[in-house]
Amino acid sequence: KHVAVAFVLNHALAVGVACAVWAVLFAVRLYHVQARDAPSHFGASMAVLMGCPGAAYLGALFLGQHLLPRGLRARVFLDRLCIHQHHAELKREGIKTLGKVLAASRSLVVLASSDYFDRLWCLYELGVHAKQEGAPSRLVVVPLWL
């Protein structure tokens, strides 16, 4: 689930960071080839050209929320963490507020596990999301069994 959340929140940023790193490394490599200042180490330079953008992608994917200024960071409501799971009265109160949370949301991301549809309040979330008035927010379903 952690990887799925990181992918949903930071994939676009991570692709941008990886492409920027690759472009800078490619430009430096091209400059050295054109200037013929440095001996050509094709294998080593290809390893750097291929490895560094991949490392940059993974770094931005998992740490992307920390790379952005506070105003651009996604705010996340994780129902499983924000709604009490064991105390029945607290759970009921948390479920009552789901409508307000969803109304203020720009998107609903469903991390669909094999037991997602077994929980009534997950179905309630989807129903409230579908019933919203005005412009409906975006629904993203990420199947966790793939």
Side-chain angles (χ1 to χ4, degrees), residues 19-112:
C19 289
V21 167
W22 182 84
V24 168
L25 291 173
F26 185 76
V28 168
R29 175 70 180 138
L30 192 61
Y31 171 77
H32 283 294
V33 168
Q34 293 290 333
R36 298 191 194 276
D37 302 11
S40 177
H41 300 292
F42 183 76
S45 64
M46 285 308 291
V48 169
L49 275 175
M50 300 310 286
C52 287
Y57 174 83
L58 290 175
L61 184 68
F62 291 108
L63 301 172
Q65 292 299 103
H66 302 290
L67 298 175
L68 296 172
R70 280 196 186 268
L72 296 177
R73 293 180 188 171
R75 287 178 293 250
V76 179
F77 172 82
L78 297 173
D79 56 7
R80 191 152 189 132
L81 296 177
C82 297
I83 296 176
H84 203 284
Q85 299 295 302
H86 302 293
H87 189 275
E89 184 59 34
L90 293 175
K91 183 187 255 186
R92 190 173 11 265
E93 291 300 317
I95 292 171
K96 284 182 184 177
T97 63
L98 278 176
K100 293 177 186 174
V101 171
L102 289 170
S105 300
R106 285 183 290 197
S107 64
L108 172 64
V109 178
V110 174
L111 302 177

Side-chain angles (χ1 to χ4, degrees), residues 8 108-112 116-117 126 138-145:
V8 167
L108 172 64
V109 178
V110 174
L111 302 177
Y116 180 79
F117 294 104
L126 287 174
R138 188 173 72 131
L139 174 64
V140 178
V141 179
V142 180
L144 297 178
W145 55 83

